Amino acid sequence: MLAHGVAYPDQLVILTHAVDDFCILHRIVSKEDRERVAVKVMVLFGRGMIDPVQLSAELEKSPVWIRRM
């Protein structure tokens, strides 16, 4: 979980993979859209979510604007 605004290297790997995997799956390529996904991942992380399966499931629940192709 985010402690004092810090994500540790092993956590960053998981978070980066969550963003990359989601963007690849949904063909998200623009910088702005990727940033929206990254912000959503960081919000989830801030709530204590770090499990890759949970992150993916929560991203799939995201509104269409975050999943547009």
Side-chain angles (χ1 to χ4, degrees), residues 21-37:
D21 292 348
F22 186 81
C23 289
I24 289 168
L25 179 65
H26 294 283
R27 297 183 181 129
I28 297 171
V29 295
S30 78
K31 179 181 176 185
E32 294 82 12
D33 290 342
R34 286 183 59 83
E35 286 176 356
R36 285 187 185 102
V37 175

Side-chain angles (χ1 to χ4, degrees), residues 1 9 12-13 19-20 23 27 29 32 40 48 51 55-56 68:
M1 183 153 93
L12 286 175
V13 169
V19 172
D20 290 344
C23 289
R27 297 183 181 129
V29 295
E32 294 82 12
K40 178 67 176 178
D51 177 69
L55 289 168
S56 178
R68 65 183 172 181

Side-chain angles (χ1 to χ4, degrees), residues 35-62:
E35 286 176 356
R36 285 187 185 102
V37 175
V39 167
K40 178 67 176 178
V41 167
M42 290 308 296
V43 167
L44 295 169
F45 179 62
R47 293 180 185 159
M49 195 173 301
I50 191 63
D51 177 69
V53 174
Q54 282 184 314
L55 289 168
S56 178
E58 288 299 317
L59 285 173
E60 290 298 331
K61 294 178 186 176
S62 297

